[in-house]
Amino acid sequence: MLSTISSFETRNKRQILSSDIDYYNKYVCTSSADGIIHIFESDKPDMYSAIQLQEHVGPVWQVMFSHPKFGFLASCGSDCKLIVRKTNDDGEWKIVYQYDGHKSSTTSIDWAPYKSGAIIACSSADGTISIHTLNNNEWSVSKIPNAHINGVNCINWSNQLLNNHLLLVSGGNDNKIKIWEGQLGIWNAMYESDNQLATIKDISWNPTPGLYKHIFASCASNGRVFVWGSDDCCDWVQIEIDPENKQKQKVSFSRFGTVLSVTMNSYAVKLWKQIDKQTWMCMERNITNRKTLDCQDKSVNQDIFAAIA
């Protein structure tokens, strides 16, 4: 049974849009529509000890810690920027890299598997995806132009390599899901889904192989969630989760890939476990961590498994 072990007030003046916890559970980071990022130490989570970062102008859509091997904190926002920070000897979070080459809001970020190096992907409402790589203390950027017509909403790396190439899945306003295979700055679309009839809002790649070698989940604006499975990343099987309920808005696999969480518009979370290749069972452990609110026209980018293995 999951339960709340700690709660605290923040100084955010507007809606919290994203949160993340670092690998060692030392820091809790939040971003909000007021453009402010707060970093709390988990052993003293009060709003007076929080570090405030205000490098973005406008809503900050997502924050994400890298693997501790690199120690970065990245963020993206409506000001079209990707910002990467790292702590100095005084414990201050300082910008070590900033990219403003997108022409519209940067919508989502994701760090690649750490064994591949310090690599972060950034999607944008301008329809492109940028991939940023750190080599010899220098950042380089490659771009996937025209990734999705009318904007890219979500991206996620696979932990599995294909022919020693990285795999990135993306979803966009063209109602499509695409899988990109890349190495050395060259990215090719190796799979493109049929029209999913609605904007793709969220995607989560299972971090470990299961009954299929490759598994990811997608959530669309019409509230439909599909789990996709393939052994070769070319031929995919789709299974819809809870088709009667159209109030879903976010998906997330647990750290070991054994459980899929589906966040509902009511802020409740349902947990699902795969029984066989065609069947997913609801674990009947609904989580509600706040009062039911009217979520219409709100974009929530919080991962229920940010600190759950």
Side-chain angles (χ1 to χ4, degrees):
M1 181 72 180
L2 295 175
S3 60
T4 301
I5 60 174
S6 177
S7 64
F8 51 91
E9 294 294 329
T10 72
R11 285 181 284 181
N12 294 105
K13 297 178 180 179
R14 297 181 64 188
Q15 180 190 13
I16 294 176
L17 300 173
S18 174
S19 64
D20 196 23
I21 302 176
D22 76 317
Y23 186 87
Y24 294 118
N25 296 335
K26 180 179 179 181
Y27 297 110
V28 178
C29 183
T30 65
S31 67
S32 73
D34 60 14
I36 299 176
I37 294 171
H38 284 101
I39 303 174
F40 304 85
E41 293 188 28
S42 58
D43 59 347
K44 47 181 179 180
D46 63 84
M47 62 182 180
Y48 301 106
S49 64
I51 298 171
Q52 286 193 32
L53 304 175
Q54 302 185 48
E55 298 100 343
H56 284 283
V57 177
V60 182
W61 302 124
Q62 189 176 357
V63 287
M64 190 174 189
F65 288 102
S66 71
H67 188 274
K69 179 179 179 180
F70 310 112
F72 295 125
L73 171 64
S75 61
C76 65
S78 62
D79 56 1
C80 315
K81 292 180 181 179
L82 163 69
I83 298 177
V84 179
R85 309 162 187 80
K86 193 171 186 177
T87 53
N88 59 19
D89 293 338
D90 297 323
E92 301 171 320
W93 290 90
K94 295 296 185 180
I95 296 176
V96 295
Y97 177 67
Q98 180 171 304
Y99 179 75
D100 56 5
H102 286 290
K103 298 179 181 178
S104 190
S105 174
T106 46
T107 55
S108 180
I109 52 176
D110 193 36
W111 290 99
Y114 78 95
K115 291 182 180 180
S116 300
I119 302 173
I120 186 169
C122 178
S123 65
S124 173
D126 64 11
T128 68
I129 300 171
S130 57
I131 291 91
H132 309 260
T133 304
L134 179 64
N135 277 318
N136 299 321
N137 295 319
E138 293 289 335
W139 289 90
S140 62
V141 59
S142 59
K143 233 175 186 182
I144 303 176
N146 304 315
H148 291 271
I149 299 173
N150 299 324
V152 189
N153 296 323
C154 49
I155 49 176
N156 198 220
W157 292 101
S158 169
N159 278 352
Q160 312 299 317
L161 299 180
L162 186 68
N163 299 324
N164 291 321
H165 291 180
L166 288 166
L167 294 174
L168 179 71
V169 63
S170 63
N173 289 327
D174 55 2
N175 305 346
K176 291 184 178 181
I177 294 168
K178 296 183 181 181
I179 296 176
W180 308 90
E181 179 186 22
Q183 190 180 48
L184 300 177
I186 300 174
W187 299 89
N188 299 304
M190 62 176 304
Y191 176 78
E192 179 177 326
S193 72
D194 295 330
N195 192 310
Q196 296 296 293
L197 305 179
T199 296
I200 307 301
K201 294 173 60 178
D202 193 32
I203 281 181
S204 178
W205 208 308
N206 193 322
T208 58
L211 297 178
Y212 290 101
K213 187 175 181 180
H214 305 279
I215 300 173
F216 68 87
S218 66
C219 181
S221 59
N222 59 4
R224 302 181 71 182
V225 167
F226 287 93
V227 177
W228 304 64
S230 175
D231 289 323
D232 59 8
C233 270
C234 294
D235 297 317
W236 290 88
V237 176
Q238 302 176 48
I239 302 296
E240 186 169 4
I241 298 292
D242 198 11
E244 301 301 320
N245 193 323
K246 306 297 184 184
Q247 302 299 314
K248 313 177 194 77
Q249 68 170 355
K250 185 170 178 63
V251 289
S252 176
F253 278 102
S254 62
R255 184 171 296 174
F256 296 113
T258 55
V259 177
L260 172 68
S261 75
V262 179
T263 306
M264 316 301 288
N265 284 345
S266 62
Y267 285 91
V269 177
K270 290 187 175 182
L271 305 180
W272 297 81
K273 189 175 183 66
Q274 189 171 20
I275 304 304
D276 56 44
K277 285 190 173 183
Q278 301 295 321
T279 308
W280 284 77
M281 179 185 70
C282 183
M283 299 174 65
E284 300 297 340
R285 294 184 183 178
N286 294 0
I287 307 168
T288 306
N289 58 4
R290 60 181 294 176
K291 294 180 180 179
T292 300
L293 298 176
D294 177 10
C295 305
Q296 187 175 4
D297 297 327
K298 291 184 179 179
S299 175
V300 179
N301 194 19
Q302 293 177 307
D303 186 347
I304 190 67
F305 285 123
I308 301 175

